[in-house]
Amino acid sequence: MTNRAAFVGATTQHCSLATSKLDVQSVSKWFRTSRANVHALAEVSMQVAAGQIVCVVGPSGCGKSTLLDIIAGLTQPDAGQVFADGQEVAGPGRERLVVFQEPSLFPWLNVFGNVMFGLRLCPELRGDERRDIAHHYLSLVGLEKFEKAHVHELSGGMKQRVALARALAPDPQVLLMDEPFGALDAMTREHLYDDVQKIWADSRKTVVFVTHNMREATCLGDRILLMSSAPGTIARSFDIPLSRPRSIYNAELVAHAAAVADALRGTMGGGVPE
Amino acid sequence: MRRAVVVTAFFAGLLLIWELAAETGWWSPVLFPSAVSVARYLWGAMNDGTLLEAIRVTLQRLLLGYVIGAAIGLPVGVLTSSSKIMDDTLGSLALGLQTLPSVCWVPFAVLWFGQTESAMLFVVVMGTVWSVIIATNHGARTIPPIYAKAARTMGSRRLHLWMMVMLPASLPFLVSGMKQGWAFAWRSLMAAEIFVTILTGFGLGQLLHYGRELNAMDQVIGAMMVIVLIGLLADRILFAPWERFLHRRWGMDGG
Ligand SMILES: Nc1ncnc2c1ncn2[C@@H]1O[C@H](COP(=O)(O)OP(=O)(O)O)[C@@H](O)[C@H]1O
Ligand SMILES: [Mg+2]
């Protein structure tokens, strides 16, 4: 396992360190509980260039969320480091904002208040600037009519749109998305792929997008990193040289997705279901 | 509007049936006083000041005991939620003592403090504190950790994190813990006032107690009605606004 991780680390060195926005170096993580000692990540290395979308794909429990938490600075790795713009990540900060897998909007604030939360923590902005930015991002995700709505009144898709607006509003350098659309129905999801591509085309954020959906990864990613589990390692890396915007019904895209899916089955030792 | 009419009609009907039943004279008026004689007692007690004084004394004791109970219970509840050892020790102690009806603290309190205000206060605090600890412990465990995670990525730290995230996130359990504490404080105080006879203050429970001593059923029933009324009013004034807020923001389940 360690060999393979080292190998992948070597092959991805073509992203020179100076230009890579995110540089994850041999990160390992164990979770020690009273019942078990889980080796969640084993020497994971990856680089993401500025303005790139990298999708991390892997079966449930392979350590995707753990990896994202470590990049965000929410979890400390047991070994290895993460560099953002050449600076070691020591803790969470608003240069790297997260759209979480589970619902994370604050129920005591309305939609507008949720988007304002991060903006209020930007001391360089004036009050009216904050409000303008919040309006802007809410209309970007198509929710300008729901600014006054309470969180529990929104559908799942709307909640994740608000979470996206909340993460975009403080203008982070890096956007970390942890299976943000995993709980949504297919139609809502497809709609959101278009939105994400549109927003990315305008803002050129650096994005790490975690998913276990092959087509989703192929639709959004410049690169796909395939993870294998127990312990979590990056098994393979695929470039997706398709033009944007992409549709998940595009035949070429489907072919790429199938190739990644085959490789995933290989890393899982003969098609173990999730 | 229609609801108010229905409620008024229901209680008016109840009073009417009561009055008519008393009028039949089938029961002794000493044991079954008419609604009118209870009203007459309440009116008299109101005018000679005994009722308002009793309400004042009772509310003063209640608030003091409740505030002390909550001030101890909330932090201890947070403490028990924060670690396994605390939960196993303090948490199980609270769980055990909460099952003890608060009137059982009365002999203990009287032996320790005598027939004093302190005995009364002790019973109320003991009646309140355990249920506040348990409600807070349970509630603090159910705050989704994702809120703090999300806030920390956006740059929220220390005081900001506590005031703008942890405090509002804990509102559902704070309100339910405080409400449960209030209900227990109220019940324990009535038990204490009935069983601890002291001269430093004459509360509603004592009004009830002396009503029995004097065989004054109108006083007993009148005091009971005032006690119910205060319980309802406290719920409306102290907790209903918070519960409405939670319902609006959190949705149906309030959690
Ligand atoms: N806080 C934690 N305590 C103990 N084990 C954990 C914790 N977080 C994650 N794990 C374990 O680490 C592994 C990776 O989890 P995770 O990163 O959530 O996987 P994924 O997001 O790919 O589904 C799993 O086996 C999970 O049970
Ligand atoms: Mg996950």
Side-chain angles (χ1 to χ4, degrees), chain A residues 69 72-74 92-94 96-98 100 102-110 117-118 121 150-152 166, chain B residues 146-157 160 164-166 168-171 245 247-252:
Chain A
D69 276 2
L74 289 166
R94 66 180 174 95
R96 284 160 283 111
L97 290 185
V98 189
F100 291 95
E102 62 264 55
S104 65
L105 296 178
F106 303 137
W108 57 92
L109 299 174
N110 64 14
F117 187 93
L121 287 159
H150 300 310
V151 171
H152 72 93
R166 181 173 75 173
Chain B
I146 190 79
Y147 295 149
K149 269 173 86 172
R152 282 168 62 218
T153 60
M154 288 184 273
S156 176
R157 299 278 183 282
H160 187 275
M164 306 307 278
V165 182
M166 297 316 277
S170 52
L171 268 184
F245 175 80
H247 188 83
R248 252 198 331 274
R249 292 297 167 110
W250 268 257
M252 292 303 287

Side-chain angles (χ1 to χ4, degrees), chain B residues 34-115:
Chain B
S34 69
V36 172
S37 71
V38 170
R40 203 180 300 123
Y41 160 75
L42 284 174
W43 182 251
M46 186 90 98
N47 284 332
D48 70 14
T50 44
L51 188 59
L52 288 182
E53 173 64 9
I55 291 175
R56 190 191 65 75
V57 167
T58 292
L59 285 185
Q60 195 176 327
R61 286 172 181 155
L62 181 66
L63 281 177
L64 188 61
Y66 177 60
V67 167
I68 294 174
I72 299 172
L74 285 174
V76 174
V78 171
L79 196 69
T80 53
S81 74
S82 66
S83 88
K84 181 126 180 59
I85 294 180
M86 285 297 174
D87 189 35
D88 288 344
T89 52
L90 274 178
S92 18
L93 179 72
L95 205 61
L97 290 180
Q98 196 234 358
T99 62
L100 191 65
S102 44
V103 67
C104 300
W105 284 104
V106 171
F108 186 102
V110 171
L111 286 177
W112 258 28
F113 299 101
Q115 307 272 352

Side-chain angles (χ1 to χ4, degrees), chain A residues 31-33 38 40 58-67 101 178-179 210:
Chain A
F31 287 110
R32 293 173 190 85
T33 61
V38 179
S60 287
C62 73
K64 304 184 295 292
S65 298
T66 307
L67 177 61
Q101 186 171 9
D178 188 1
E179 301 191 38
V210 165

